[in-house]
Amino acid sequence: MRRPKGLRRWRPGRTGGFPAQVLRGLGQVMLLASPWTGALGCLAVALADWRYAVYATGGAALGTGTARVLGVSRDRLDPGLEGFNSALAALCCAVLLGPSRPSTALFAAAGCAVVTVLTAAAVRLLRGWDLPPLTLPYCVLAVAVSAAAPAFARLRPHDGGPTGPAAAPGPAGPHLEEAARAFLHNVSQLFFLERWYVGALLLAAVLLADRTAGLAACAGSATGVLTAWVLGAPAPLIADGTMGCNAVLVAMALYGVLLPAAPATLPYALLGAATATVLTPAVAALLGPLGGRAFTWPFVLTTLCFLAAARSFPRLTGRGEAPAGPVPRRAPRGSSVPAGRRSTGHGSGAEAGTESVACTVSTRSPAPGRTDRVP
């Protein structure tokens, strides 16, 4: 897997300091540990609403800063792995509770500290299965906020917040113009925005950092739109991007980030993107009493399931034929990802004694003819 162009000259010990860690945390929202992706993503959000950009950047800074104070390893700090969940958590508070209220800012700041604790817990719990925590800490906090906010007068959203994907009626199947907007809205909804130009800038930021990741994002967005249309989802849900945003992340994660970017993994990744699209209204329905918002739960559930299953398919992992005997559940000492993969975005962190470029590095060699890609 290739290293993003913006990180090819990066080496441990020359990370750019705290500002670069914060920007990489923003970039990790798009599964890339690139400060340029994070900077362009922040600019794209600021074009829609500067307050949301402040919340996202401040959340990444608070999460990263809290982790630094608590002594988290640089193997997680340098690639931004302690910033993306807190950035999403702060932005979620702004969207659900209103960005102009002082109580929202204070609550978001406290939430960033809580997310840091949840991230450490998720890393520990999932390490036994050699799985990354992804956006699981943010999802847990987001559900808690949406469920608890109505009980507190100073946090209660005035307008009820955005509705979940299962709540919008409308005719099945979008028009061509709506489908084009949906393609870009699927990307912009990763930052809770329904703005086509935000999606276009985010896609450009990903393509500039890593062309493979950008193509995977495009393929995932197209798969999400097509799947929702074929199954007859209401046109408003397809057009606003709430149905297909998780498909973008799943396609990127399973094609080139957590699995090699190979011909065998492309259909597997697109199948995962379609699965996440179908799972989105199901999760929203299950969370109906808690606000009815799916957040990135479909991405987390689908990616973890497909990633765990991929270990049974040697053609997906590039490890050759599957062994005849039982396979050890844990990776070699010093690695926190399954053998056969190199570095990952949203990984679980590397232990001392391993090479760490962005997130986690396996002790196995990559597939022949490939080099590392650090998301």
Side-chain angles (χ1 to χ4, degrees), residues 5-33:
K5 295 179 181 178
L7 293 181
R8 286 178 180 174
R9 295 183 179 180
W10 177 78
R11 293 291 185 274
R14 298 182 63 181
T15 64
F18 181 74
Q21 293 173 353
V22 173
L23 290 177
R24 290 190 184 99
L26 292 172
Q28 285 282 8
V29 175
M30 298 294 296
L31 302 178
L32 291 173

mmCIF file of all heavy atoms in Angstrom, residues 5-33:
data_model
loop_
_atom_site.group_PDB
_atom_site.id
_atom_site.type_symbol
_atom_site.label_atom_id
_atom_site.label_comp_id
_atom_site.label_asym_id
_atom_site.label_seq_id
_atom_site.Cartn_x
_atom_site.Cartn_y
_atom_site.Cartn_z
ATOM 1 N N LYS A 5 1.224 11.128 -0.613
ATOM 2 C CA LYS A 5 2.312 11.959 -1.113
ATOM 3 C C LYS A 5 2.779 12.960 -0.071
ATOM 4 O O LYS A 5 3.960 13.256 0.027
ATOM 5 C CB LYS A 5 1.859 12.679 -2.381
ATOM 6 C CG LYS A 5 1.562 11.733 -3.527
ATOM 7 C CD LYS A 5 1.092 12.509 -4.738
ATOM 8 C CE LYS A 5 0.770 11.566 -5.897
ATOM 9 N NZ LYS A 5 0.266 12.307 -7.078
ATOM 10 N N GLY A 6 1.844 13.500 0.694
ATOM 11 C CA GLY A 6 2.216 14.512 1.667
ATOM 12 C C GLY A 6 3.013 13.982 2.833
ATOM 13 O O GLY A 6 3.558 14.743 3.615
ATOM 14 N N LEU A 7 3.101 12.641 2.959
ATOM 15 C CA LEU A 7 3.803 12.061 4.101
ATOM 16 C C LEU A 7 5.037 11.269 3.705
ATOM 17 O O LEU A 7 5.655 10.637 4.541
ATOM 18 C CB LEU A 7 2.857 11.135 4.879
ATOM 19 C CG LEU A 7 1.681 11.805 5.585
ATOM 20 C CD1 LEU A 7 0.882 10.756 6.322
ATOM 21 C CD2 LEU A 7 2.154 12.867 6.543
ATOM 22 N N ARG A 8 5.394 11.283 2.458
ATOM 23 C CA ARG A 8 6.507 10.436 2.033
ATOM 24 C C ARG A 8 7.824 10.853 2.642
ATOM 25 O O ARG A 8 8.748 10.060 2.728
ATOM 26 C CB ARG A 8 6.593 10.444 0.501
ATOM 27 C CG ARG A 8 5.475 9.620 -0.140
ATOM 28 C CD ARG A 8 5.520 9.660 -1.648
ATOM 29 N NE ARG A 8 4.441 8.851 -2.209
ATOM 30 C CZ ARG A 8 4.160 8.799 -3.495
ATOM 31 N NH1 ARG A 8 4.878 9.507 -4.357
ATOM 32 N NH2 ARG A 8 3.169 8.050 -3.933
ATOM 33 N N ARG A 9 7.962 12.105 3.052
ATOM 34 C CA ARG A 9 9.205 12.552 3.661
ATOM 35 C C ARG A 9 9.126 12.576 5.174
ATOM 36 O O ARG A 9 10.049 13.040 5.825
ATOM 37 C CB ARG A 9 9.542 13.956 3.140
ATOM 38 C CG ARG A 9 9.828 13.970 1.649
ATOM 39 C CD ARG A 9 10.228 15.363 1.184
ATOM 40 N NE ARG A 9 10.518 15.371 -0.245
ATOM 41 C CZ ARG A 9 10.884 16.451 -0.907
ATOM 42 N NH1 ARG A 9 11.014 17.609 -0.266
ATOM 43 N NH2 ARG A 9 11.122 16.390 -2.205
ATOM 44 N N TRP A 10 8.000 12.111 5.705
ATOM 45 C CA TRP A 10 7.848 12.154 7.159
ATOM 46 C C TRP A 10 8.591 10.985 7.790
ATOM 47 O O TRP A 10 8.599 9.870 7.277
ATOM 48 C CB TRP A 10 6.381 12.087 7.530
ATOM 49 C CG TRP A 10 6.165 12.066 9.005
ATOM 50 C CD1 TRP A 10 6.208 13.099 9.869
ATOM 51 C CD2 TRP A 10 5.860 10.910 9.792
ATOM 52 N NE1 TRP A 10 5.959 12.679 11.135
ATOM 53 C CE2 TRP A 10 5.747 11.358 11.126
ATOM 54 C CE3 TRP A 10 5.689 9.555 9.510
ATOM 55 C CZ2 TRP A 10 5.450 10.484 12.166
ATOM 56 C CZ3 TRP A 10 5.393 8.699 10.540
ATOM 57 C CH2 TRP A 10 5.284 9.166 11.848
ATOM 58 N N ARG A 11 9.217 11.263 8.912
ATOM 59 C CA ARG A 11 9.907 10.230 9.680
ATOM 60 C C ARG A 11 9.601 10.429 11.144
ATOM 61 O O ARG A 11 9.385 11.561 11.594
ATOM 62 C CB ARG A 11 11.434 10.318 9.480
ATOM 63 C CG ARG A 11 11.882 9.985 8.067
ATOM 64 C CD ARG A 11 11.683 8.515 7.751
ATOM 65 N NE ARG A 11 12.211 8.175 6.449
ATOM 66 C CZ ARG A 11 11.547 8.293 5.326
ATOM 67 N NH1 ARG A 11 10.316 8.794 5.327
ATOM 68 N NH2 ARG A 11 12.098 7.941 4.172
ATOM 69 N N PRO A 12 9.572 9.323 11.947
ATOM 70 C CA PRO A 12 9.386 9.496 13.381
ATOM 71 C C PRO A 12 10.439 10.450 13.934
ATOM 72 O O PRO A 12 11.610 10.394 13.581
ATOM 73 C CB PRO A 12 9.554 8.065 13.929
ATOM 74 C CG PRO A 12 9.219 7.172 12.769
ATOM 75 C CD PRO A 12 9.675 7.909 11.548
ATOM 76 N N GLY A 13 9.993 11.352 14.806
ATOM 77 C CA GLY A 13 10.881 12.337 15.382
ATOM 78 C C GLY A 13 10.862 13.657 14.638
ATOM 79 O O GLY A 13 11.352 14.655 15.121
ATOM 80 N N ARG A 14 10.248 13.667 13.421
ATOM 81 C CA ARG A 14 10.122 14.905 12.654
ATOM 82 C C ARG A 14 8.664 15.020 12.206
ATOM 83 O O ARG A 14 8.343 14.919 11.031
ATOM 84 C CB ARG A 14 11.065 14.888 11.452
ATOM 85 C CG ARG A 14 12.527 14.793 11.829
ATOM 86 C CD ARG A 14 13.400 14.837 10.599
ATOM 87 N NE ARG A 14 13.264 16.103 9.885
ATOM 88 C CZ ARG A 14 13.906 16.381 8.761
ATOM 89 N NH1 ARG A 14 14.734 15.482 8.230
ATOM 90 N NH2 ARG A 14 13.733 17.535 8.168
ATOM 91 N N THR A 15 7.772 15.193 13.155
ATOM 92 C CA THR A 15 6.335 15.125 12.880
ATOM 93 C C THR A 15 5.701 16.485 12.698
ATOM 94 O O THR A 15 4.556 16.563 12.316
ATOM 95 C CB THR A 15 5.621 14.418 14.035
ATOM 96 O OG1 THR A 15 5.760 15.211 15.227
ATOM 97 C CG2 THR A 15 6.195 13.039 14.270
ATOM 98 N N GLY A 16 6.392 17.568 12.969
ATOM 99 C CA GLY A 16 5.795 18.877 12.863
ATOM 100 C C GLY A 16 5.181 19.367 14.154
ATOM 101 O O GLY A 16 4.634 20.461 14.194
ATOM 102 N N GLY A 17 5.255 18.574 15.215
ATOM 103 C CA GLY A 17 4.766 19.005 16.502
ATOM 104 C C GLY A 17 3.257 18.920 16.653
ATOM 105 O O GLY A 17 2.546 18.294 15.860
ATOM 106 N N PHE A 18 2.751 19.622 17.670
ATOM 107 C CA PHE A 18 1.341 19.566 18.017
ATOM 108 C C PHE A 18 0.431 20.043 16.890
ATOM 109 O O PHE A 18 -0.595 19.392 16.618
ATOM 110 C CB PHE A 18 1.094 20.376 19.288
ATOM 111 C CG PHE A 18 -0.323 20.367 19.759
ATOM 112 C CD1 PHE A 18 -0.866 19.250 20.355
ATOM 113 C CD2 PHE A 18 -1.121 21.494 19.596
ATOM 114 C CE1 PHE A 18 -2.182 19.241 20.789
ATOM 115 C CE2 PHE A 18 -2.433 21.496 20.022
ATOM 116 C CZ PHE A 18 -2.969 20.376 20.627
ATOM 117 N N PRO A 19 0.708 21.153 16.193
ATOM 118 C CA PRO A 19 -0.183 21.575 15.104
ATOM 119 C C PRO A 19 -0.346 20.509 14.023
ATOM 120 O O PRO A 19 -1.458 20.296 13.519
ATOM 121 C CB PRO A 19 0.502 22.829 14.553
ATOM 122 C CG PRO A 19 1.296 23.353 15.699
ATOM 123 C CD PRO A 19 1.789 22.138 16.424
ATOM 124 N N ALA A 20 0.741 19.837 13.666
ATOM 125 C CA ALA A 20 0.644 18.786 12.653
ATOM 126 C C ALA A 20 -0.169 17.608 13.164
ATOM 127 O O ALA A 20 -0.920 16.981 12.403
ATOM 128 C CB ALA A 20 2.041 18.326 12.244
ATOM 129 N N GLN A 21 -0.046 17.280 14.449
ATOM 130 C CA GLN A 21 -0.859 16.208 15.025
ATOM 131 C C GLN A 21 -2.344 16.540 14.954
ATOM 132 O O GLN A 21 -3.180 15.675 14.665
ATOM 133 C CB GLN A 21 -0.433 15.961 16.471
ATOM 134 C CG GLN A 21 0.960 15.382 16.624
ATOM 135 C CD GLN A 21 1.403 15.310 18.078
ATOM 136 O OE1 GLN A 21 0.726 15.814 18.971
ATOM 137 N NE2 GLN A 21 2.549 14.697 18.312
ATOM 138 N N VAL A 22 -2.677 17.807 15.212
ATOM 139 C CA VAL A 22 -4.079 18.229 15.143
ATOM 140 C C VAL A 22 -4.601 18.134 13.716
ATOM 141 O O VAL A 22 -5.703 17.630 13.475
ATOM 142 C CB VAL A 22 -4.228 19.661 15.684
ATOM 143 C CG1 VAL A 22 -5.643 20.189 15.457
ATOM 144 C CG2 VAL A 22 -3.890 19.708 17.166
ATOM 145 N N LEU A 23 -3.819 18.604 12.753
ATOM 146 C CA LEU A 23 -4.250 18.558 11.360
ATOM 147 C C LEU A 23 -4.373 17.121 10.862
ATOM 148 O O LEU A 23 -5.284 16.797 10.090
ATOM 149 C CB LEU A 23 -3.273 19.332 10.478
ATOM 150 C CG LEU A 23 -3.292 20.853 10.647
ATOM 151 C CD1 LEU A 23 -2.225 21.504 9.769
ATOM 152 C CD2 LEU A 23 -4.664 21.418 10.314
ATOM 153 N N ARG A 24 -3.462 16.259 11.317
ATOM 154 C CA ARG A 24 -3.600 14.846 10.944
ATOM 155 C C ARG A 24 -4.847 14.234 11.569
ATOM 156 O O ARG A 24 -5.468 13.341 10.988
ATOM 157 C CB ARG A 24 -2.352 14.059 11.356
ATOM 158 C CG ARG A 24 -1.119 14.408 10.530
ATOM 159 C CD ARG A 24 0.020 13.438 10.798
ATOM 160 N NE ARG A 24 1.220 13.851 10.074
ATOM 161 C CZ ARG A 24 2.226 14.510 10.597
ATOM 162 N NH1 ARG A 24 2.205 14.827 11.889
ATOM 163 N NH2 ARG A 24 3.259 14.868 9.873
ATOM 164 N N GLY A 25 -5.207 14.694 12.772
ATOM 165 C CA GLY A 25 -6.449 14.217 13.369
ATOM 166 C C GLY A 25 -7.649 14.573 12.515
ATOM 167 O O GLY A 25 -8.567 13.757 12.344
ATOM 168 N N LEU A 26 -7.654 15.790 11.951
ATOM 169 C CA LEU A 26 -8.735 16.166 11.036
ATOM 170 C C LEU A 26 -8.677 15.336 9.758
ATOM 171 O O LEU A 26 -9.717 14.943 9.215
ATOM 172 C CB LEU A 26 -8.635 17.655 10.704
ATOM 173 C CG LEU A 26 -8.930 18.628 11.848
ATOM 174 C CD1 LEU A 26 -8.597 20.052 11.437
ATOM 175 C CD2 LEU A 26 -10.383 18.521 12.284
ATOM 176 N N GLY A 27 -7.471 15.065 9.268
ATOM 177 C CA GLY A 27 -7.343 14.233 8.080
ATOM 178 C C GLY A 27 -7.813 12.817 8.293
ATOM 179 O O GLY A 27 -8.314 12.163 7.372
ATOM 180 N N GLN A 28 -7.677 12.313 9.527
ATOM 181 C CA GLN A 28 -8.091 10.947 9.829
ATOM 182 C C GLN A 28 -9.604 10.775 9.755
ATOM 183 O O GLN A 28 -10.095 9.638 9.696
ATOM 184 C CB GLN A 28 -7.592 10.537 11.214
ATOM 185 C CG GLN A 28 -6.115 10.234 11.297
ATOM 186 C CD GLN A 28 -5.756 8.857 10.748
ATOM 187 O OE1 GLN A 28 -6.581 8.168 10.164
ATOM 188 N NE2 GLN A 28 -4.513 8.452 10.960
ATOM 189 N N VAL A 29 -10.362 11.862 9.770
ATOM 190 C CA VAL A 29 -11.802 11.746 9.533
ATOM 191 C C VAL A 29 -12.045 11.139 8.162
ATOM 192 O O VAL A 29 -13.012 10.400 7.945
ATOM 193 C CB VAL A 29 -12.489 13.122 9.652
ATOM 194 C CG1 VAL A 29 -13.966 13.040 9.291
ATOM 195 C CG2 VAL A 29 -12.313 13.670 11.061
ATOM 196 N N MET A 30 -11.134 11.420 7.224
ATOM 197 C CA MET A 30 -11.180 10.842 5.884
ATOM 198 C C MET A 30 -10.195 9.686 5.736
ATOM 199 O O MET A 30 -9.814 9.322 4.630
ATOM 200 C CB MET A 30 -10.864 11.919 4.845
ATOM 201 C CG MET A 30 -11.857 13.061 4.813
ATOM 202 S SD MET A 30 -13.496 12.550 4.265
ATOM 203 C CE MET A 30 -13.134 12.041 2.592
ATOM 204 N N LEU A 31 -9.762 9.121 6.864
ATOM 205 C CA LEU A 31 -8.892 7.944 6.884
ATOM 206 C C LEU A 31 -7.492 8.215 6.342
ATOM 207 O O LEU A 31 -6.801 7.301 5.894
ATOM 208 C CB LEU A 31 -9.513 6.781 6.105
ATOM 209 C CG LEU A 31 -10.885 6.302 6.573
ATOM 210 C CD1 LEU A 31 -11.398 5.184 5.683
ATOM 211 C CD2 LEU A 31 -10.857 5.842 8.007
ATOM 212 N N LEU A 32 -7.048 9.460 6.371
ATOM 213 C CA LEU A 32 -5.719 9.798 5.886
ATOM 214 C C LEU A 32 -4.961 10.580 6.949
ATOM 215 O O LEU A 32 -5.461 11.586 7.448
ATOM 216 C CB LEU A 32 -5.799 10.639 4.613
ATOM 217 C CG LEU A 32 -6.314 9.933 3.356
ATOM 218 C CD1 LEU A 32 -6.485 10.938 2.238
ATOM 219 C CD2 LEU A 32 -5.374 8.821 2.926
ATOM 220 N N ALA A 33 -3.761 10.131 7.273
ATOM 221 C CA ALA A 33 -2.927 10.834 8.242
ATOM 222 C C ALA A 33 -2.098 11.888 7.538
ATOM 223 O O ALA A 33 -0.876 11.928 7.643
ATOM 224 C CB ALA A 33 -2.030 9.846 8.987
#
